[in-house]
């Protein structure tokens, strides 16, 4: 059985493992203040095209989301998110546990629009009783979203302009950022994202690393004392170099982008196999997650050979499932899966 | 320069790295529900001598402390700790950030006594205004303590009896537990600790692992829904197997105990070197951390060749420093350091 | 200009003011432990038909909501509420500030149904990733609701049965409870509410008192240490007797029910005036709040003589407004308002 | 039996009650936005000698402390306080419940010195591991302190200078401020306090009001959105005018200062009676709280006629007790108490 359930079923890319092995007995300082972290920071600054950004490394996505959000908001403020946002549905109330409401706006495709942000902001301030309502304090988006869609350059720039107009910091959860940048219809790049977002992160856990998220902070108000927040929320890794090692390996020779392209290429094969049979999708996705709507009988048959995530019942005869590819996915296995989708 | 600054200057024990490499391309489920975690759980249950305990894996110590404490207390309760306790001084207020006061009791040797707990509890309930005061809700200890001392069996059993009398769950921070169990004057073992504590953890980060703390929960009220808390606090590792792999390696053939003994043996050499010159210590320590009080001139000279942590000024001529050994410390380096202590 | 904007535009009922004056120079203990509070407790216990309930007095509604909810939930749990619930929209995230998510369910009439609670609960536990989702931990309802509707006996009993089936404490916000019990279609009474709810409160602020909410706690797990929570959240009034005095006056000779009936009777006149002209309502309300949808021109004209709250734009020509009556509303003013509604 | 247990045993000064009665049936807006609150604000601004300050009214002291502190600090910061500070010992961890540590510094007389603040600040920033330690974020003092002592002008100015040097907002809890300003050795006034403190409050609950604390905010960063915080923490009184009425009455003709002087004058009689018999005090107090150390036999005898608060055991034969006077204390009763102290 080959698992397509998620993009974190294997360990790390071999180049990461090699560097981790070869550096194992070196002695370094802790908490992300070592030469490996410095090197990774330098590489990321280079990719982002700016020297004046802070780069910090955390272990996981929920941890990163709650740490960034709690460090940015004042107590009476909430964070605007699509209702499908990971912080709204799949983090056990981690944001609320730091004292803040997630202001969830409806979204069919997992994305927020500039207009939604403007409306939400002005509706708040136009309400005579606004002091009795949570004040919008920042905006959270995911790219790619939790359902595989991506922001295009014009969308992100409009969103950033709206946020600036309202004085709302913009935060991008990039847990799967590599897969978004590798999408064929993508027109974003790291410098543009850096310019548009006050803070974002480059996901490692789901893109080739054992674990780790690289937080890029352009807004100095968020960067100030941010490491206190990492420590307080339990996200400061004692052997911080492990994060530096991984991101140094990922960004040394473009590995991060190469492996992301590999995953997306294979996801497109799965998509095409489904399309060739006329199956529709929960949302169209050009990234490494595909959410086809399949006949229940086919799902059951596929389940004998292939792992997938059950996503939701559609009608009596059909359900949606998720297939994920990753840096580690074997092309031959994908070919066989596609063949089964076509023939079963 | 060889660093004795801390016990987390290297990566992981080679046996861990081997298992991590050999399993790297295996596919497993996430979040600590895989076969490696199950194996590590079974090994730890065996070592603790009980089948009815819950074992969960988190990434780091601060994260574990805040997660366990917040999951145990009701909002109006605080956690009793020695004033030297890690949660009171070195976690950036992580416990307070979850809403709870650390009730710090004075301690010269880093330990709490049964009598202190009883006094604190009864003083609270005898106060006519106790509803205006934080209610003691649990007891936090570290073994070894932050300054290297250890609890003896009779002390821990008395403390556990006091806690039960007061209805206070007892929680042991075992970030360096291996080094405590390896001390020559230690008379504790894992089954006794399991019986005495409602919850404790076996530290991996400082004892041979890349990272990881294994939380052992005997009290079912704390175990209930504990995984929700791990997720909410950002401590649930997506590739959870990495924790299982490490603890499986550490507990397979007694590796955890072997490497702890190695570190303590070398620490005793450093201790003896200091004693031979008549130097005193902040506290007597039989574990892997030594806190000698040395002439400033000697400290400066040693600093040219050896890394240490500055601990505090004692008087105009003397300061305290910390030397740590670990599973990774080289015996020859220790011999040379000792020679320098004796001769410089 | 006479204000119908809210039910807290005047001070307190004269009988309360008299008792406050006559007792002014008496000396009593603080914090709700005096003879007046004891008397009010006894009267409320009598009205609720049970001796085994705890009664505590707080100052305001938001304070009471956040204190009860934070005292009841464990950290990973959230509170189910109608999306129109006061805690979800008009308390500046007070519940989230204590660390908990409000799980908002859609509601057209401001009420929750038993089926909604059952569905929400089972959907949570049937989700394979439920540890990644906030766990439903209690249910919050308002009676009357924020938009004037009330629960009928069969609805409340079904809801209570659903909550018990799921192990979810049921909490009723009774900020306007008197006006609900005085509705002509009401078939609830305090003993039934006490039996159905684990905890609820009898609102004073909006029903004749200067301020104050009487919390009735039937569930001993919530009552345990509840006064610590009142103190911690800033709700413990030093001169607690002021709360006892007010509730003693309200419940001595049925004053609470008399003044509620007065308000509802006048609200029905306003309702009838609107209906006589064919105006519709946001929701049908049999309590002291009426939300008619009126032509903008009429609203403007009325605004020259009468105060109301603007509730929302309906279409280009119409808007919804709120008229509130209270214990203090003058019947002659209502007659004149009704005449204006009919004639302007 | 006459009670000297506390300064909140009676209701409110008759002038407050009169104004509350005469305004009872007036209609006003809610939440502190009415003409009475505006009048009280104007009077307080006048007394403080500045127009550019924000004045907000809350109900009680714990509520005010937690609201101000939580609104001022960032999450990783703590509040410096004397270890005797009310927030540290008698508020059930209200500050910690908002996520912040109270950094308690030792104090024999209830006061903090400028040097203590400077030392605490520099010790933090000089620590190489300061990111692992709660960052000092503001300073909390009480005047008078919880044990009756007061700050002199030079002390407060030095403290304010130290706070400015360190960038730490200074917050004064003035729950008993009137009694401090009425002390014979007092050389502070409201304009000086306004200049020295970023935020402070003028206590009403213990100085003649039924309840209420007037918060004076000079620092615009704290004033910004402060009313959101009041609402979120449950401190926004619906019938907010009750606070305006009380402070308008207290500050109309210097009533606040008159009644404070009355209380202090009587407290000095109690002090002199104790001194005349050679009894010592926990601390010397020139305000309305006296803490004499008396023989247990005398305490018992006095207890037959007079109420007091037990403060603590001193030795086998002696204990400390607290006698409080207030605006409501009867001079004849004090004379009789003094006579008993002298003769029993």
């Amino acid at each position: 059985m080959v698992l397509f359930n998620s993009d974190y079923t294997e360990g790390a890319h071999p180049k990461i493992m090699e560097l981790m092995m070869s550096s194992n007995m070196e002695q370094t300082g802790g908490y992300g203040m070592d030469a490996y972290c410095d090197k990774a920071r330098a590489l990321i600054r280079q990719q982002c095209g700016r020297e004046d950004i802070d780069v910090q490394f955390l272990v996981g996505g929920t941890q990163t989301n709650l740490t960034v959000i709690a460090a940015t908001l004042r107590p009476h403020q909430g964070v605007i998110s699509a209702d499908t946002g990971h912080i709204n549905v799949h983090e056990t109330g981690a944001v609320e546990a730091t004292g803040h409401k997630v202001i969830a706006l409806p979204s069919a495709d997992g994305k927020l629009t500039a207009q939604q942000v403007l409306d939400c902001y002005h509706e708040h301030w136009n309400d005579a009783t606004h002091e009795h309502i949570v004040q919008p304090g920042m905006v959270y988006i995911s790219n790619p979203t939790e359902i595989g869609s991506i922001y295009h350059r014009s969308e992100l720039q409009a969103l950033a302009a709206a946020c600036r107009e309202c004085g709302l910091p913009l935060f991008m959860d990039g847990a799967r950022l590599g897969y978004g940048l590798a999408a064929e219809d993508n027109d974003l790049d790291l410098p543009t994202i850096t310019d548009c977002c006050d803070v974002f992160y480059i996901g490692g856990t789901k893109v080739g690393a054992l674990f780790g998220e690289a937080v890029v902070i352009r807004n100095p108000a968020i960067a100030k004392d941010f490491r206190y927040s990492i420590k307080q929320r339990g996200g400061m890794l004692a052997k911080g170099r492990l994060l530096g090692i991984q991101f140094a390996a990922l960004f040394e020779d473009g590995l991060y982008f190469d492996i992301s392209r590999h995953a997306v290429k294979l996801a497109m094969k799965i998509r095409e196999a489904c399309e060739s049979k006329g199956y529709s999708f929960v949302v169209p996705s050009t990234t490494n997650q595909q959410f086809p709507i399949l006949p229940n009988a086919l799902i059951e048959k596929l389940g004998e050979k292939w792992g997938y995530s059950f996503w939701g019942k559609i009608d009596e005869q059909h359900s949606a499932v998720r297939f994920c590819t990753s840096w580690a996915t074997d092309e031959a296995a994908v070919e066989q899966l596609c063949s089964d989708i076509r023939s079963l």
Side-chain angles (χ1 to χ4, degrees), chain A residues 10-307:
Chain A
E10 286 86 2
H13 190 276
K15 287 201 181 163
I16 286 176
M17 296 308 290
E18 275 164 36
L19 187 51
M20 212 170 269
M21 285 297 276
S22 66
S23 64
N24 190 53
M25 294 309 291
E26 289 176 21
Q27 290 193 307
T28 67
Y31 308 116
M33 308 299 267
D34 61 281
Y36 289 103
C37 286
D38 287 345
K39 183 177 176 186
R41 278 188 191 99
L43 288 166
I44 288 172
R45 284 199 184 97
Q46 202 179 335
Q47 290 290 329
C48 293
R50 290 177 70 139
E51 284 303 306
D52 63 344
I53 53 178
D54 190 25
V55 180
Q56 297 293 339
F57 303 103
L58 283 90
V59 173
T62 296
Q63 187 184 89
T64 304
N65 288 335
L66 76 90
T67 302
V68 168
I69 291 168
T72 302
L73 295 177
R74 286 190 67 195
H76 59 291
Q77 297 178 323
V79 54
I80 296 173
S81 165
D83 54 6
T84 52
H86 207 256
I87 57 169
N88 193 44
V89 291
H90 260 96
E91 301 189 354
T92 324
V95 169
E96 289 85 354
T98 69
H100 302 284
K101 191 180 191 78
V102 177
I103 303 170
L105 303 184
S107 173
D109 63 359
K111 297 194 279 184
L112 287 178
T113 67
Q115 195 57 50
Q116 280 184 295
V117 167
L118 291 171
D119 289 349
C120 175
Y121 179 83
H122 291 300
E123 192 181 320
H124 176 83
W125 287 100
N126 290 338
D127 191 316
T129 62
H130 58 78
E131 292 169 349
H132 298 236
I133 303 170
V134 174
Q135 185 183 96
M138 72 189 297
V139 175
Y140 164 93
I141 58 172
S142 312
N143 187 46
T145 68
E146 294 74 10
I147 47 179
S149 54
I150 60 169
Y151 284 85
H152 292 103
R153 178 185 293 260
S154 58
E155 293 169 327
L156 185 63
Q157 287 176 335
L159 198 53
C163 287
R164 273 167 210 177
E165 184 182 325
C166 301
L168 299 172
L170 178 59
F171 169 37
M172 180 191 283
D173 170 340
R176 292 187 172 95
L177 187 54
Y179 302 130
L181 297 178
E184 58 191 341
D185 63 333
N186 171 65
D187 57 1
L188 280 174
D189 52 25
L190 286 174
T192 306
I193 291 171
T194 307
D195 285 346
C196 288
C197 298
D198 293 78
V199 51
F200 71 99
Y201 60 98
I202 302 170
T205 303
K206 293 168 178 167
V207 193
L210 290 175
F211 55 87
E213 319 294 317
V215 184
V216 177
I217 314 179
R218 186 182 45 72
N219 184 328
I222 301 173
K224 183 166 157 53
D225 293 341
F226 188 71
R227 285 173 52 83
Y228 283 87
S229 288
I230 301 176
K231 178 62 186 171
Q232 184 185 61
R233 305 301 177 177
M236 190 168 277
L237 195 63
K239 299 183 180 179
R241 77 199 200 172
L242 300 174
L243 293 159
I245 286 167
Q246 295 183 86
F247 279 95
L250 286 170
F251 280 91
E252 183 105 64
D253 299 307
L255 179 64
Y256 190 74
F257 305 103
D258 292 343
I259 61 180
S260 296
R261 274 189 295 270
H262 169 79
V264 171
K265 187 186 73 173
L266 300 186
M268 291 306 99
K269 289 181 186 267
I270 299 173
R271 176 173 169 169
E272 286 153 24
C274 294
E275 288 175 337
S276 75
K277 297 288 285 184
Y279 301 135
S280 64
F281 294 81
V282 174
V283 286
S285 161
T286 56
T287 62
N288 77 313
Q289 299 187 93
Q290 296 298 317
F291 302 86
I293 297 169
L294 303 178
N296 292 338
L298 173 59
I299 292 174
E300 199 176 334
K301 279 240 170 185
L302 289 172
E304 291 166 15
K305 289 174 64 184
W306 311 105

